[in-house]
Structure formats: structure tokens, C-alpha cells
Amino acid sequence: MAETIGHDDPLPKSVCPICGRHFVCGMEAGQEECWCMERPVLPLEAGEGGACLCPECFDRLISERTSREA
Ligand SMILES: [Zn+2]
């Protein structure tokens, strides 16, 4: 029997490179789907190595870019 780790979520957590918030990326958690697949593709700045952003920063970046195009 493995040691108990409180009541933690069993899914692996990713850390947002922008705000440092912990969040779950379905892709990194080994799932077939993720919330990010419902979002428009957002080309990340080079250097992040394709790191996933948390939903909050993701949506903020999208709204910033779309408002700039409008
Ligand atoms: Zn974030």
C-alpha cells in the first residue's frame, strides 16, 4: 500500500510559466482530451518549450491578441 498523500488530486500538475499557478493539463496527465483543445491555437513565445499555460493566462493571452486584431 502506497503512502497516503492527503486528499490530493491524483492527476499530475503542471505549473503555469506566467503566473506559477498549478493546474492540470489533460495532455500532460495522459488523458486524450484537455480544456486547451477547445481553445484556439495560441502560438507561444519561443523559449517555453511548448509549456502549457493555465486556463486563466491562456484566455487572457487570447483576448489580448484578438482585441489587437479587431
Ligand atoms: Zn497562468
XYZ file of all heavy atoms in Angstrom:
528
model
N 0.843 -1.205 0.000
C 0.000 0.000 0.000
C 0.876 1.253 0.000
O 1.749 1.418 0.844
C -0.890 -0.009 1.252
C -1.969 1.090 1.185
S -3.144 0.930 2.553
C -4.331 2.201 2.068
N 0.616 2.087 -0.973
C 1.422 3.305 -1.099
C 1.089 4.276 0.027
O 0.018 4.231 0.615
C 1.179 3.952 -2.450
N 2.017 5.126 0.286
C 1.787 6.114 1.338
C 0.697 7.111 0.905
O 0.585 7.446 -0.266
C 3.081 6.857 1.641
C 3.690 7.481 0.391
C 5.051 8.101 0.694
O 5.538 7.987 1.842
O 5.606 8.684 -0.215
N -0.056 7.541 1.863
C -1.147 8.453 1.545
C -0.633 9.890 1.427
O 0.165 10.340 2.226
C -2.220 8.400 2.645
O -2.387 7.052 3.066
C -3.550 8.908 2.131
N -1.116 10.561 0.386
C -0.698 11.955 0.199
C -1.920 12.846 0.366
O -2.405 13.463 -0.567
C -0.062 12.163 -1.182
C 0.981 11.080 -1.449
C 0.577 13.554 -1.259
C 1.631 11.214 -2.803
N -2.449 12.826 1.555
C -3.599 13.675 1.840
C -4.768 13.371 0.929
O -5.057 12.227 0.623
N -5.426 14.401 0.499
C -6.575 14.246 -0.387
C -6.257 14.883 -1.727
O -7.092 15.492 -2.367
C -7.799 14.908 0.254
C -9.088 14.393 -0.314
N -9.545 13.119 -0.096
C -10.022 14.987 -1.090
C -10.704 12.972 -0.725
N -11.021 14.083 -1.324
N -5.027 14.747 -2.124
C -4.588 15.426 -3.341
C -5.210 14.837 -4.587
O -5.565 13.670 -4.643
C -3.060 15.352 -3.464
C -2.385 16.525 -2.765
O -3.119 17.389 -2.245
O -1.161 16.551 -2.741
N -5.292 15.667 -5.600
C -5.739 15.224 -6.904
C -4.677 14.291 -7.466
O -3.504 14.615 -7.451
C -5.905 16.457 -7.802
C -6.651 16.140 -9.090
O -6.429 15.051 -9.649
O -7.425 16.984 -9.535
N -5.067 13.107 -7.940
C -4.087 12.141 -8.453
C -3.463 12.569 -9.771
O -2.446 12.042 -10.175
C -4.921 10.872 -8.647
C -6.326 11.359 -8.811
C -6.428 12.619 -7.992
N -4.074 13.540 -10.446
C -3.535 13.963 -11.727
C -2.274 14.791 -11.534
O -2.188 15.591 -10.608
C -4.573 14.809 -12.480
C -5.817 14.050 -12.928
C -6.802 15.022 -13.567
C -5.466 12.948 -13.899
N -1.293 14.586 -12.408
C -0.066 15.387 -12.330
C -0.370 16.839 -12.624
O -1.147 17.155 -13.507
C 0.829 14.772 -13.405
C -0.101 14.088 -14.359
C -1.279 13.637 -13.526
N 0.267 17.710 -11.876
C 0.015 19.142 -12.047
C 1.092 19.783 -12.915
O 2.255 19.454 -12.819
C 0.008 19.839 -10.684
C -1.120 19.396 -9.766
C -2.466 19.903 -10.269
C -3.508 19.867 -9.155
N -3.636 18.531 -8.556
N 0.639 20.690 -13.747
C 1.577 21.499 -14.499
C 1.646 22.867 -13.824
O 0.735 23.283 -13.140
C 1.106 21.661 -15.949
O 1.023 20.402 -16.581
N 2.757 23.561 -14.050
C 2.907 24.892 -13.466
C 2.904 25.921 -14.581
O 3.667 25.826 -15.532
C 4.221 24.984 -12.673
C 4.378 26.387 -12.096
C 4.246 23.941 -11.568
N 2.040 26.881 -14.465
C 1.955 27.933 -15.471
C 3.233 28.763 -15.455
O 3.635 29.254 -14.403
C 0.739 28.810 -15.192
S 0.662 30.244 -16.277
N 3.893 28.908 -16.615
C 5.144 29.672 -16.679
C 4.928 31.169 -16.476
O 5.881 31.914 -16.282
C 5.674 29.377 -18.091
C 4.469 29.010 -18.883
C 3.510 28.351 -17.915
N 3.687 31.601 -16.546
C 3.412 33.039 -16.425
C 3.095 33.421 -14.984
O 3.678 34.338 -14.427
C 2.242 33.435 -17.346
C 2.655 33.278 -18.805
C 1.806 34.875 -17.051
C 1.581 33.679 -19.793
N 2.158 32.704 -14.372
C 1.724 33.113 -13.038
C 2.154 32.120 -11.963
O 2.014 32.377 -10.779
C 0.204 33.291 -13.022
S -0.719 31.770 -13.243
N 2.680 30.958 -12.371
C 3.149 29.993 -11.391
C 2.038 29.184 -10.760
O 2.269 28.410 -9.837
N 0.824 29.354 -11.245
C -0.303 28.627 -10.700
C -0.233 27.160 -11.109
O 0.204 26.824 -12.195
C -1.597 29.250 -11.236
C -2.859 28.655 -10.647
C -4.032 29.094 -11.498
N -4.047 30.539 -11.688
C -4.695 31.364 -10.883
N -5.395 30.910 -9.890
N -4.664 32.655 -11.119
N -0.663 26.278 -10.225
C -0.709 24.862 -10.554
C -2.044 24.553 -11.219
O -3.075 24.990 -10.767
C -0.552 24.006 -9.297
C 0.853 24.039 -8.764
N 1.576 22.899 -8.493
C 1.666 25.068 -8.474
C 2.769 23.251 -8.063
N 2.854 24.557 -8.028
N -1.977 23.813 -12.294
C -3.199 23.446 -12.990
C -2.989 22.089 -13.638
O -1.876 21.573 -13.695
C -3.545 24.492 -14.055
C -2.542 24.543 -15.186
C -2.814 23.905 -16.377
C -1.343 25.212 -15.028
C -1.896 23.937 -17.411
C -0.421 25.247 -16.060
C -0.701 24.613 -17.252
N -4.075 21.493 -14.110
C -3.988 20.186 -14.744
C -4.134 20.320 -16.246
O -5.121 20.856 -16.733
C -5.090 19.247 -14.214
C -5.071 17.937 -15.001
C -4.877 18.979 -12.740
N -3.135 19.881 -16.973
C -3.238 19.817 -18.427
C -3.558 18.368 -18.794
O -2.812 17.460 -18.448
C -1.928 20.255 -19.085
S -1.912 19.990 -20.875
N -4.674 18.170 -19.438
C -5.109 16.816 -19.773
C -4.077 16.061 -20.575
O -3.870 14.860 -20.393
N -3.394 16.764 -21.482
C -2.413 16.113 -22.325
C -1.248 15.585 -21.495
O -0.794 14.464 -21.654
C -1.894 17.101 -23.381
C -3.002 17.703 -24.232
S -4.002 16.471 -25.076
C -2.833 15.920 -26.309
N -0.778 16.415 -20.569
C 0.358 16.007 -19.751
C -0.064 14.977 -18.718
O 0.758 14.238 -18.183
C 0.975 17.229 -19.069
C 1.633 18.176 -20.071
C 2.513 19.197 -19.371
O 2.746 19.054 -18.166
O 2.959 20.138 -20.055
N -1.359 14.930 -18.407
C -1.862 13.985 -17.422
C -2.151 12.634 -18.069
O -2.605 11.706 -17.420
C -3.122 14.539 -16.769
N -1.881 12.533 -19.387
C -2.074 11.272 -20.070
C -3.496 11.044 -20.535
O -3.856 9.946 -20.929
N -4.291 12.114 -20.500
C -5.664 11.988 -20.971
C -5.728 12.295 -22.460
O -4.827 12.906 -23.021
C -6.566 12.954 -20.192
C -6.574 12.647 -18.704
C -7.403 13.655 -17.928
O -7.680 14.745 -18.402
N -7.795 13.278 -16.731
N -6.835 11.886 -23.089
C -6.960 12.111 -24.527
C -7.468 13.513 -24.833
O -7.302 14.025 -25.930
C -7.911 11.081 -25.131
C -7.340 9.664 -25.073
C -8.260 8.684 -25.785
O -9.275 9.131 -26.346
O -7.969 7.482 -25.757
N -8.117 14.107 -23.854
C -8.663 15.431 -24.095
C -8.211 16.397 -23.010
O -7.853 16.000 -21.906
C -10.196 15.376 -24.119
C -10.726 14.558 -25.283
C -12.239 14.594 -25.322
O -12.841 15.114 -24.371
O -12.804 14.094 -26.309
N -8.228 17.657 -23.355
C -7.840 18.696 -22.410
C -8.648 19.946 -22.726
O -9.066 20.150 -23.864
C -6.332 18.968 -22.525
S -5.774 20.300 -21.418
N -8.840 20.771 -21.727
C -9.573 22.016 -21.953
C -8.916 22.861 -23.035
O -9.574 23.597 -23.755
C -9.660 22.796 -20.646
C -8.292 23.070 -20.066
C -7.631 22.316 -19.134
C -7.420 24.143 -20.412
N -6.398 22.868 -18.896
C -6.250 23.998 -19.654
C -7.518 25.230 -21.286
C -5.176 24.876 -19.752
C -6.438 26.111 -21.380
C -5.298 25.927 -20.611
N -7.585 22.729 -23.169
C -6.868 23.579 -24.122
C -7.227 23.217 -25.560
O -7.022 24.006 -26.480
C -5.360 23.482 -23.897
S -4.663 21.856 -24.203
N -7.783 22.026 -25.771
C -8.144 21.629 -27.130
C -9.378 22.379 -27.602
O -9.679 22.434 -28.788
C -8.392 20.119 -27.170
C -7.136 19.316 -26.832
S -7.424 17.533 -26.771
C -7.734 17.180 -28.491
N -10.118 22.964 -26.663
C -11.303 23.727 -27.039
C -10.946 25.178 -27.347
O -11.760 25.936 -27.851
C -12.332 23.683 -25.900
C -12.785 22.266 -25.591
C -13.733 22.250 -24.406
O -13.942 23.315 -23.815
O -14.260 21.176 -24.093
N -9.713 25.528 -27.009
C -9.289 26.908 -27.256
C -8.667 27.011 -28.642
O -8.183 26.024 -29.195
C -8.248 27.344 -26.211
C -8.702 27.199 -24.787
C -9.861 28.134 -24.494
N -9.950 28.442 -23.075
C -10.492 27.654 -22.149
N -10.952 26.484 -22.488
N -10.543 28.034 -20.899
N -8.666 28.199 -29.216
C -7.939 28.401 -30.480
C -6.454 28.191 -30.247
O -5.956 28.407 -29.140
C -8.256 29.855 -30.852
C -8.714 30.501 -29.583
C -9.343 29.404 -28.756
N -5.768 27.767 -31.294
C -4.337 27.518 -31.159
C -3.617 28.827 -30.878
O -3.793 29.806 -31.588
C -3.782 26.882 -32.450
C -2.274 26.703 -32.323
C -4.443 25.536 -32.683
N -2.844 28.814 -29.824
C -2.128 30.024 -29.447
C -0.626 29.794 -29.562
O -0.041 29.052 -28.780
C -2.473 30.387 -28.008
C -1.800 31.663 -27.487
C -2.332 32.881 -28.228
C -2.067 31.825 -25.995
N -0.011 30.394 -30.590
C 1.437 30.241 -30.755
C 2.171 30.855 -29.578
O 2.057 32.050 -29.326
C 1.739 30.989 -32.051
C 0.571 31.903 -32.277
C -0.604 31.257 -31.591
N 2.890 30.027 -28.862
C 3.598 30.506 -27.685
C 4.915 31.164 -28.071
O 5.486 30.868 -29.109
C 3.875 29.344 -26.731
C 2.636 28.679 -26.140
C 3.056 27.486 -25.294
C 1.843 29.658 -25.302
N 5.353 32.051 -27.231
C 6.649 32.671 -27.456
C 7.725 31.598 -27.355
O 7.617 30.654 -26.580
C 6.899 33.732 -26.392
C 5.826 34.802 -26.345
C 5.828 35.656 -27.599
O 6.915 35.845 -28.160
O 4.761 36.105 -28.027
N 8.775 31.742 -28.128
C 9.857 30.773 -28.095
C 10.520 30.777 -26.720
O 10.615 31.809 -26.071
C 10.885 31.107 -29.165
N 10.950 29.601 -26.306
C 11.668 29.530 -25.037
C 10.893 28.774 -23.983
O 11.457 28.293 -23.015
N 9.592 28.659 -24.180
C 8.794 27.944 -23.187
C 8.811 26.440 -23.444
O 8.338 25.661 -22.646
C 7.361 28.452 -23.204
C 7.227 29.899 -22.755
C 7.715 30.078 -21.332
O 7.816 29.087 -20.608
O 8.008 31.221 -20.955
N 9.307 26.055 -24.605
C 9.387 24.637 -24.901
C 8.022 23.988 -25.019
O 7.837 22.824 -24.714
N 7.044 24.768 -25.460
C 5.701 24.226 -25.629
C 4.980 24.008 -24.325
O 4.044 23.251 -24.242
N 5.419 24.701 -23.281
C 4.767 24.563 -21.994
C 3.326 25.050 -22.072
O 3.032 26.022 -22.741
C 5.535 25.342 -20.935
N 2.475 24.357 -21.377
C 1.066 24.725 -21.376
C 0.838 25.825 -20.334
O 1.491 25.878 -19.307
C 0.219 23.503 -21.039
S -1.466 23.632 -21.618
N -0.103 26.706 -20.661
C -0.449 27.762 -19.725
C -1.712 27.373 -18.969
O -2.483 26.532 -19.406
C -0.706 29.072 -20.474
C 0.450 29.591 -21.332
C 0.014 30.850 -22.063
C 1.665 29.865 -20.488
N -1.921 27.995 -17.833
C -3.152 27.731 -17.103
C -4.304 28.389 -17.849
O -4.099 29.312 -18.628
C -3.042 28.267 -15.679
S -3.082 30.066 -15.556
N -5.521 27.899 -17.646
C -6.688 28.425 -18.367
C -6.803 29.941 -18.260
O -7.165 30.612 -19.215
C -7.867 27.733 -17.684
C -7.298 26.466 -17.141
C -5.875 26.802 -16.748
N -6.482 30.488 -17.114
C -6.633 31.922 -16.912
C -5.705 32.722 -17.825
O -6.122 33.626 -18.528
C -6.339 32.247 -15.446
C -7.244 33.341 -14.898
C -7.118 33.441 -13.386
O -7.807 32.684 -12.687
O -6.327 34.264 -12.942
N -4.413 32.375 -17.809
C -3.447 33.089 -18.636
C -3.704 32.809 -20.110
O -3.517 33.675 -20.959
C -2.023 32.683 -18.257
S -1.554 33.255 -16.605
N -4.126 31.612 -20.414
C -4.411 31.240 -21.794
C -5.499 32.136 -22.368
O -5.351 32.745 -23.431
C -4.861 29.774 -21.832
C -4.603 29.102 -23.153
C -3.516 28.260 -23.312
C -5.454 29.314 -24.217
C -3.281 27.649 -24.539
C -5.215 28.704 -25.446
C -4.133 27.875 -25.600
N -6.595 32.257 -21.621
C -7.703 33.083 -22.094
C -7.302 34.552 -22.161
O -7.731 35.287 -23.038
C -8.906 32.918 -21.152
C -9.578 31.574 -21.360
O -9.366 30.960 -22.419
O -10.318 31.139 -20.448
N -6.469 34.970 -21.227
C -6.057 36.366 -21.224
C -5.217 36.681 -22.455
O -5.386 37.706 -23.112
C -5.259 36.667 -19.948
C -4.929 38.130 -19.796
C -4.586 38.472 -18.365
N -3.624 37.543 -17.792
C -2.311 37.677 -17.914
N -1.821 38.687 -18.599
N -1.499 36.818 -17.370
N -4.298 35.777 -22.798
C -3.466 35.988 -23.978
C -4.317 36.001 -25.237
O -4.100 36.803 -26.137
C -2.415 34.879 -24.072
C -1.184 35.077 -23.194
C -0.213 33.918 -23.398
C -0.495 36.384 -23.533
N -5.296 35.116 -25.291
C -6.159 35.048 -26.465
C -6.941 36.340 -26.630
O -7.018 36.917 -27.710
C -7.129 33.859 -26.351
C -6.353 32.549 -26.495
C -8.216 33.953 -27.414
C -7.212 31.319 -26.257
N -7.510 36.835 -25.543
C -8.307 38.060 -25.626
C -7.423 39.250 -25.983
O -7.830 40.156 -26.689
C -9.026 38.308 -24.293
O -8.082 38.472 -23.253
N -6.186 39.239 -25.495
C -5.277 40.333 -25.827
C -4.980 40.347 -27.324
O -4.983 41.384 -27.969
C -3.967 40.179 -25.049
C -4.091 40.624 -23.602
C -2.773 40.436 -22.859
O -1.795 39.980 -23.482
O -2.741 40.731 -21.654
N -4.730 39.185 -27.880
C -4.374 39.111 -29.290
C -5.581 39.402 -30.173
O -5.465 40.083 -31.183
C -3.825 37.728 -29.601
C -2.575 37.442 -28.773
C -1.700 36.386 -29.406
N -0.497 36.184 -28.599
C 0.594 35.578 -29.057
N 0.616 35.110 -30.265
N 1.639 35.442 -28.285
N -6.724 38.883 -29.817
C -7.907 39.089 -30.639
C -8.341 40.546 -30.598
O -8.780 41.105 -31.591
C -9.061 38.192 -30.155
O -9.240 38.363 -28.763
C -8.778 36.730 -30.470
N -8.201 41.180 -29.468
C -8.594 42.590 -29.365
C -7.641 43.440 -30.189
O -7.986 44.489 -30.690
C -8.598 43.040 -27.904
O -7.283 43.015 -27.385
N -6.405 42.966 -30.320
C -5.427 43.719 -31.088
C -5.742 43.631 -32.583
O -5.523 44.548 -33.351
C -4.032 43.126 -30.824
C -2.950 44.209 -30.779
C -1.618 43.620 -30.368
N -1.502 43.460 -28.916
C -0.486 42.830 -28.326
N 0.433 42.272 -29.057
N -0.436 42.744 -27.030
N -6.286 42.474 -32.989
C -6.627 42.288 -34.402
C -7.871 43.067 -34.772
O -8.056 43.484 -35.893
C -6.832 40.810 -34.689
C -5.518 40.041 -34.617
C -5.744 38.565 -34.859
O -6.899 38.195 -35.113
O -4.779 37.790 -34.778
N -8.760 43.245 -33.797
C -10.016 43.953 -34.068
C -9.794 45.454 -34.078
O -9.420 46.067 -34.978
C -11.029 43.620 -32.978
Zn -1.216 31.209 -15.545
